[in-house]
Amino acid sequence: MQQVRAEIDLGAIRSNARCFAALAGGAALCAVVKADAYGHGASMVAHALRGIADSFAVALVEEGASLRNAGIDEDILVLVPPLNREEVLRGCAYGLIFLLSDAADAALIAEVCDQFGLSARCHIKVNTGMNRFGFDGAEFASFLRRPHGRLRIEGIASHFYRPEDTETTAAQFRSFQEFCARAEDVFGPLRKHIAATGGVLASPGYGLDMVRVGIGLYGYVPSGLAPLPQLRRAMRVYAPVASVRKYAGGGMGYGARRPIGKDLFVVRAGYADGLFRNERLCMDAFVAEGRAEKYGEVCILSDADACAAASGTISYEVLARIGGRAVREYVDR
């Protein structure tokens, strides 16, 4: 087989989920399975976490619909607000929870619900410093004063943008609590959540009613935060050896790099398999130093942090890229 093979350990993902649930100070666990569970396979991961995660989060309505079609009946929160009427209709049909980030989102969802006699479950997103999605102060106050009709407001959320910075995170948390108090004066008790993986690690006091754990489920923590020794990395990626050879002068792939010894082998994995550009990589294959067995397999990823550091990126990007084209095989250890 010429394809790259990703071995996904569902037991590791469950173990990591239990670890974060224990750290969350009694908050419910929302398992983030967006981007096909960071390349690990959303439906398989979601089924593996049933009974541990109370709910799931995805980025897109399409991802939420796919989980419903895969038999997931727990709450599913869609983190990116719907961008058109069709997404509102589909989200309502599949019983997804929308995140409202501004008055336009609320108006779009309300208009569709009024036209078709639907109601929509919603959480309010407020901006406490990330400036990606979320109501700001004046618009938030105006939203609270309006009638909300068929919008069922059930929760309120924000996001820490620098969980490694104690003062910044504490200031965001205070801002979020102020938003929450104003919202609950209007809507009554809401499910409050601001902490993702980094927020859980920053303090159990940030857990509130729910935490949204993403990268931590797969064995990694955001940059700038201390690693958790008990986390288990869930993905190992293998690729076939297409050629073995002796160095015969010149370079290794595109570039002037020369090997230390004479033994070389060629791995059948490249850009489209999620690898990042370097001088040894030639589109669909790369040249490596050392000995290997032709037609055998070598591990090309066991530590996404190390790969990310070498490529100037983050583990999330590595996992999502390399898990996309690979044939996934699941184990449970």
Side-chain angles (χ1 to χ4, degrees):
M1 182 173 67
Q2 292 187 322
Q3 285 181 276
V4 170
R5 179 175 67 88
E7 184 180 274
I8 313 295
D9 187 348
L10 297 175
I13 294 172
R14 278 196 294 270
S15 174
N16 296 337
R18 292 189 182 100
C19 173
F20 279 96
L23 291 172
L29 176 66
C30 176
V32 181
V33 293
K34 62 185 179 182
D36 208 12
Y38 296 51
H40 293 70
S43 62
M44 291 293 289
V45 169
H47 277 288
L49 291 178
R50 299 184 82 175
I52 302 172
D54 299 271
S55 60
F56 297 94
V58 295
L60 310 175
V61 166
E62 178 183 355
E63 294 175 330
S66 293
L67 284 186
R68 286 282 186 253
N69 289 330
I72 299 300
D73 53 14
E74 288 86 353
D75 281 352
I76 299 173
L77 175 66
V78 182
L79 298 173
V80 176
L83 302 180
N84 54 56
R85 294 167 57 84
E86 289 74 20
E87 288 188 349
V88 175
L89 283 170
R90 198 172 191 202
C92 290
Y94 282 99
L96 308 180
I97 301 172
F98 296 116
L99 207 57
L100 306 177
S101 71
D102 57 31
D105 295 338
L108 172 65
I109 296 171
E111 177 188 346
V112 174
C113 287
D114 286 342
Q115 181 178 352
F116 293 96
L118 303 171
S119 63
R121 301 177 64 192
C122 302
H123 288 199
I124 308 166
K125 182 71 175 286
V126 294
N127 179 26
T128 58
M130 193 169 196
N131 294 297
R132 179 176 59 180
F133 296 116
F135 283 92
D136 291 306
E139 188 180 31
F140 183 66
S142 176
F143 171 75
L144 294 181
R145 290 193 297 268
R146 296 173 188 167
H148 301 97
R150 295 178 180 274
L151 303 184
R152 294 163 48 196
I153 308 299
E154 300 178 356
I156 183 169
S158 192
H159 197 93
F160 292 127
Y161 71 99
R162 293 188 65 201
E164 73 280 6
D165 184 281
T166 303
E167 290 186 8
T168 299
T169 302
Q172 273 194 270
F173 189 67
R174 289 193 297 272
S175 174
F176 182 59
Q177 288 180 306
E178 292 171 4
F179 276 112
C180 291
R182 293 165 63 192
E184 291 190 320
D185 280 345
V186 174
F187 299 107
L190 299 173
R191 174 163 275 201
K192 300 176 287 294
H193 51 107
I194 187 172
T197 299
V200 176
L201 296 176
S203 170
Y206 295 147
L208 298 175
D209 300 313
M210 185 174 84
V211 296
R212 308 180 306 267
V213 179
I215 195 70
L217 296 175
Y218 312 104
Y220 297 88
V221 302
S223 59
L225 293 168
L228 284 180
Q230 61 267 46
L231 291 186
R232 295 163 53 190
R233 289 166 178 162
M235 181 190 293
R236 292 178 67 89
V237 182
Y238 300 87
V241 176
S243 174
V244 295
R245 58 198 312 109
K246 297 292 184 181
Y247 176 66
M252 295 172 58
Y254 296 120
R257 175 173 172 170
R258 296 171 180 266
I260 296 173
K262 287 285 187 180
D263 293 309
L264 302 176
F265 62 96
V266 177
V267 178
R268 213 310 296 148
Y271 304 126
D273 301 290
L275 300 186
F276 292 85
R277 184 180 184 276
N278 65 64
E279 62 184 8
R280 294 181 296 145
L281 200 152
C282 311
M283 185 57 193
D284 292 299
F286 70 87
V287 183
E289 297 185 55
R291 294 186 178 183
E293 182 181 349
K294 186 176 173 72
Y295 307 131
E297 274 189 332
V298 293
C299 181
I300 61 170
L301 179 75
S302 59
D303 183 348
D305 279 341
C307 180
S311 303
T313 184
I314 58 174
S315 54
Y316 182 144
E317 185 177 7
V318 171
L319 294 169
R321 281 169 58 107
I322 207 163
R325 194 185 193 190
V327 173
R328 298 188 189 116
E329 296 180 1
Y330 292 91
V331 297
D332 198 336
R333 298 193 178 106

